Structures are given as C-alpha cells and as structure tokens.
Amino acid sequence: MIIITRPEATEEQIAHIVSRIRAWGLKSEVSRGEQRVVIGVIGPEDKIREKPLGAFPGVESVTPVLKPYKLVSYQFRGRHSHVQIGGVTVGAKAVVLMAGPCSVESEEQITAIATEVRKSGAKILRGGAFKPRTSPYSFQGLGKVGLQLLAEARRLTGMPIITEIMDTKDLELVCEYADCLQVGARNMQNFSLLREVGRTHLPVMLKRGMSATIKDLLMSAEYILSEGNFNVLLCERGIRTFETMTRNTLDLNAVPVLKSETHLPVVVDPTHGIGLREYIPSMALAAVAAGADSIMIEVHNSPEHAKSDGEQALLPQEFEALVARVKSVADAVGREL
Ligand code: PEP
Ligand code: MN
C-alpha cells in the first residue's frame, strides 16, 4: 500500500503515521520527493487493507500496489531514483559510462586499461575478480588479488569500481574493496545472495538472467530492496533466443518498459548482449537512444591475450571513438555525458 501525503504535511504527522505502522507490526519505507513524502507500507496485503490509513492527518491518498513488486515499482517513489556509486550519480541526466576488462588479469593490464578508459570519458571501472565461467576449467578470476589490483587502479584513476559477487561467503571481502557489487546473470535468482547484498550498504547492479523475463528481474530486485538496500541498478545484458548469429539477443524493449515500471536506474551491457566486437558500438548507441541511464562496455588493450571474453572486448581506441558517438546520441535524446 502506498500513502501519499499532502504537500503541507508536517514532520510530526509523518512520524506519527510511521510509528502507527510499526505498532501494527508492519514495515514502512519513507521516500522524500521535492513536493511530498510517500510512505510505502510493507506487510501482508489483507492485514494492511483493514487499517484506516486514509484517516491520518496529513494523508492525501492511499493506493494499493497491484503489482507483485512493490518497493521497486515506479509508483512507490513517483519519480526516478538516483544511485550514487563512489562520487558518480547514475539515473540523473548524464549517461554514465562503465568500462574495463571482463576479468582483472594483472596489475599492468588493469592499470593500463583503467587509465585509457578514464581518459576517454568512462566514469566507473569494471573488472571481474570472481568470474562465473561456464566451464570449471576456464580462468576463474584472481579473487582477492584481483580486488587489490582494482583498488590500486581506483587509487590511480579516481574511478569507483564495480565487480562481481558470486557467493555469500565472499561478501565481506568484496565489500572491503568494491564501490558497487555486480550480481551476474547466472545469479539473478540466487535468492540467498540477493538477500545478503540487500543487507549491505553498497550499491548493487543486478544483471538480467539469460532466460529471465523483465518481471523476473523486477522480482529479484525486490528481494534486495526488501532487505533495506534501495541502491539498486538493473542491467539488461541480453537474453537467450533462437538466434545463433550473436551471443545473446540484447532486449532493448526492456529499457523503456523498465523505465516506466520501476524507479530504479537502467544499465545496458551491449557487450554481453551481442557478444561480437564489431556490433557493440551500434547497440550501445541504440541503448542510449532507448533511454538507458548507463552503458557498460568491456575494453581490453590486448583482446587476443584476454583470459575471458576477448572476442567481445573493444580496443581502447574503439572505445574512445564510441564515446564521441554516444555523446551525439545523448545530446539528441536530451541527455548528456
Ligand atoms: C560480466 O559482466 O563479465 C559477466 C559475467 O556478465 P553476465 O553475468 O551478464 O554474463
Ligand atoms: Mn565478460
């Protein structure tokens, strides 16, 4: 249930509503907009429905949330959320570029790539230290050493870092280093991991599972928010279809649908979405045109030596050329870089 307060509602009235909700054994989530305060009431719907929420002073309206997702719904906030990653805001007018290698491989590799992408306009550095690989015999990532190398690259470039968390047992370690946690496609429905990242204070980028619907993605995000962490980004990274000419099918339909269904910022990863270097720039531009708040691109300075995803990594100079084109599209759709 969502309580919308009057513009002139006082802090005492709001505090009174919140304390009554708590006294009933229900949870509340207060969201402060520019004009008014919205209070989400969380708990069993039948129990909430019998409470006289509309009778409190300061309340303008009470609306049931009919969707299965509540905290992530656009209606819950009534505006789009901004998520802070380090000092970078995602979800505002500027389209945020995240770039870096698939995996952190060595100090030289990550610092060289970080320096290059930073120079071209990337705002957030990506790189996997714990890698979810289809084969157990493939490179699994450098683990803690990879995190330390990312932290060093952050120190050198000033860019905040995003890196994947695969297992709850690594959460404390990853949280020591990361500015944003990435939950990968293969873990989108790892509900115990979702709950645990929901208990951290770090922003979380949740990637869409390769056979998940948009609704599944929203329901998974709901797990994170329901634990109290509202700093969540949703990432479209391509789904499996019958198509075999590309690695995945980047579902850009998801962008406008998510922007209208949820207040959470939307990231698009055209790299995994299409999986072939030559086509990535086109899909990155299309993603910005479709309304993405952020684009994540894999970049490698020596793709033929990459330990993972070399065939889909852009060279630093290709990334640089793409950024100029992203800027033109961003301008054309009323955004900026
Ligand atoms: C990645 O970002 O390198 C990755 C493994 O992505 P996904 O979970 O989307 O496959
Ligand atoms: Mn990758």
Side-chain angles (χ1 to χ4, degrees):
M1 203 71 83
I2 291 176
I3 302 173
I4 299 174
T5 61
R6 294 180 184 280
E8 69 277 9
T10 65
E11 283 304 320
E12 290 71 41
Q13 290 173 333
I14 290 159
H16 177 62
I17 300 169
V18 168
S19 79
R20 288 305 300 273
I21 293 170
R22 192 175 315 123
W24 288 324
L26 301 166
K27 279 210 265 179
S28 65
E29 196 58 57
V30 178
S31 171
R32 289 172 191 278
E34 294 204 343
Q35 301 289 330
R36 55 184 93 226
V37 171
V38 174
I39 305 168
V41 188
I42 307 146
E45 283 294 324
D46 48 341
K47 197 169 163 194
I48 298 172
R49 226 174 291 123
E50 64 197 27
K51 305 296 181 202
L53 299 170
F56 286 94
V59 171
E60 181 166 288
S61 65
V62 178
T63 318
V65 185
L66 301 170
K67 308 246 158 109
Y69 39 87
K70 303 181 192 312
L71 305 176
V72 305
S73 71
Y74 183 82
Q75 195 187 3
F76 181 75
R77 275 252 154 112
R79 64 186 159 88
H80 286 116
S81 294
H82 294 177
V83 171
Q84 294 288 333
I85 300 178
V88 180
T89 306
V90 185
K93 191 176 180 195
V95 176
V96 172
L97 297 176
M98 305 185 188
C102 181
S103 308
V104 180
E105 298 166 9
S106 69
E107 182 170 355
E108 302 71 56
Q109 177 244 18
I110 190 68
T111 54
I113 297 170
T115 310
E116 299 250 30
V117 297
R118 166 87 203 174
K119 202 174 70 202
S120 302
K123 294 287 187 301
I124 296 173
L125 177 65
R126 66 147 286 145
F130 292 94
K131 292 302 303 177
R133 303 308 300 280
T134 301
S135 164
Y137 308 117
S138 302
F139 177 62
Q140 304 285 308
L142 296 180
K144 183 174 180 178
V145 171
L147 297 173
Q148 289 167 336
L149 296 178
L150 279 170
E152 177 60 13
R154 169 177 54 202
R155 195 186 63 74
L156 283 173
T157 61
M159 273 189 291
I161 53 186
I162 174 168
T163 195
E164 182 157 353
I165 174 76
M166 284 173 54
D167 193 317
T168 53
K169 76 175 174 14
D170 302 317
L171 192 56
E172 216 181 301
L173 175 69
V174 176
C175 284
E176 269 178 50
Y177 294 91
D179 298 293
C180 182
L181 300 169
Q182 171 172 324
V183 174
R186 292 156 190 81
N187 267 319
M188 190 204 82
Q189 288 187 317
N190 180 339
F191 300 117
S192 46
L193 180 62
L194 297 177
R195 284 198 190 279
E196 286 297 326
V197 299
R199 293 183 191 130
T200 72
H201 61 280
L202 282 180
V204 179
M205 185 179 83
L206 177 64
K207 296 187 94 174
R208 179 177 178 184
M210 54 190 95
S211 46
T213 63
I214 296 171
K215 187 165 153 193
D216 294 336
L217 173 63
L218 289 165
M219 293 310 297
S220 286
E222 187 80 14
Y223 270 86
I224 305 175
L225 274 73
S226 72
E227 293 295 330
N229 188 350
F230 275 61
N231 295 313
V232 174
L233 314 166
L234 301 176
C235 179
E236 166 57 44
R237 49 77 72 204
I239 51 175
R240 283 257 166 98
T241 64
F242 49 78
E243 183 53 68
T244 55
M245 297 275 278
T246 55
R247 179 176 178 183
N248 290 297
T249 297
L250 185 65
D251 179 18
L252 288 181
N253 291 356
V255 179
V257 174
L258 287 170
K259 292 301 293 181
S260 98
E261 287 294 312
T262 174
H263 56 87
L264 300 173
V266 176
V267 183
V268 172
D269 168 359
T271 301
H272 294 85
I274 196 158
L276 298 164
R277 180 180 306 131
E278 62 187 302
Y279 305 129
I280 292 163
S282 302
M283 298 314 289
L285 299 175
V288 175
D293 297 301
S294 173
I295 304 291
M296 175 181 262
I297 307 267
E298 287 187 351
V299 177
H300 202 291
N301 52 0
S302 182
E304 68 277 22
H305 295 115
K307 293 192 169 150
S308 61
D309 284 350
E311 62 291 342
Q312 61 182 26
L314 294 191
L315 288 162
Q317 59 270 31
E318 291 171 328
F319 177 70
E320 187 183 12
L322 171 61
V323 175
R325 298 172 69 203
V326 167
K327 186 171 176 339
S328 307
V329 175
D331 286 343
V333 296
R335 306 290 290 261
E336 61 190 28
L337 264 201

